[in-house]
Amino acid sequence: MSLRLRATPELVTEAWLKTVVGDRVATTLPKDNSSWAASGFCTLVVAGGSPNLYVPLREPVIGVDCWANSPSSQKPPWNIAAALAEAIQAACYDHPGIPQTVTLPAGYPAAQIKSAYTTGEPRRIPDDPSSYARYSIPGLAIAWVEVPS
């Protein structure tokens, strides 16, 4: 018996964020920081939320960190990290752009995004030991359902 692959909060959020910031999002930062020095990068982690009790509607709350680095300077490029966070906030206000269907990796069903909103303002996280600029969105709530296959 083989298990059917199911959409997960991480996969769905990553797919939606890619529609906002491009291919600059994952659950971890790339090891090679020069690969994202010019554009910044977003990481995500499930922070909470709960699935609906009666219907297959999921609404995880995701912590999103927006990162930027400047390999040639010890001064963090705050404007790049802030611009990523603000792009995510603006996408939450793009009500005609949501709902939308996002494609997940091969073998996974697509997911229909029903709504997206933040639960707090992005905040600057100072004093990163690596001199990275980091803005943290404390909660990005994304309501979604799997698209039947």
Side-chain angles (χ1 to χ4, degrees), residues 7 9 25 49-50 61 68 78 86 105 111 115 118 126 134:
V25 60
S50 59
V61 177
W78 294 106
E86 290 303 320
S115 67
T118 58
R134 177 180 164 206

Side-chain angles (χ1 to χ4, degrees), residues 87-142:
I88 294 166
Q89 182 63 60
C92 291
Y93 294 135
D94 181 19
H95 300 294
I98 304 169
Q100 67 173 283
T101 300
V102 294
T103 302
L104 303 184
Y108 287 89
Q112 174 78 37
I113 307 296
K114 300 295 187 183
S115 67
Y117 62 92
T118 58
T119 62
E121 289 290 332
R123 61 188 174 98
R124 182 185 288 216
I125 308 296
D127 302 324
D128 184 84
S130 57
S131 295
Y132 289 172
R134 177 180 164 206
Y135 269 79
S136 183
I137 299 171
L140 170 64
I142 296 188

Side-chain angles (χ1 to χ4, degrees), residues 62-101:
I62 308 295
V64 180
D65 287 320
C66 301
W67 301 85
N69 78 83
S70 179
S72 62
S73 170
Q74 288 298 306
K75 184 177 183 207
W78 294 106
N79 57 333
I80 295 173
L84 287 171
E86 290 303 320
I88 294 166
Q89 182 63 60
C92 291
Y93 294 135
D94 181 19
H95 300 294
I98 304 169
Q100 67 173 283
T101 300

Side-chain angles (χ1 to χ4, degrees), residues 2-81:
S2 66
L3 289 177
R4 178 176 166 216
L5 296 176
R6 306 302 299 245
T8 67
E10 291 95 347
L11 290 174
V12 172
T13 303
E14 184 175 338
W16 183 75
L17 284 172
K18 284 181 178 181
T19 70
V20 177
V21 300
D23 199 23
R24 301 182 283 174
V25 60
T27 55
T28 58
L29 282 173
K31 297 282 186 217
D32 177 10
N33 66 4
S34 66
S35 68
W36 51 275
S39 60
F41 202 85
C42 296
T43 58
L44 61 100
V45 63
V46 175
S50 59
N52 188 288
L53 182 62
Y54 301 105
V55 296
L57 175 69
R58 308 283 294 271
E59 192 170 4
V61 177
I62 308 295
V64 180
D65 287 320
C66 301
W67 301 85
N69 78 83
S70 179
S72 62
S73 170
Q74 288 298 306
K75 184 177 183 207
W78 294 106
N79 57 333
I80 295 173

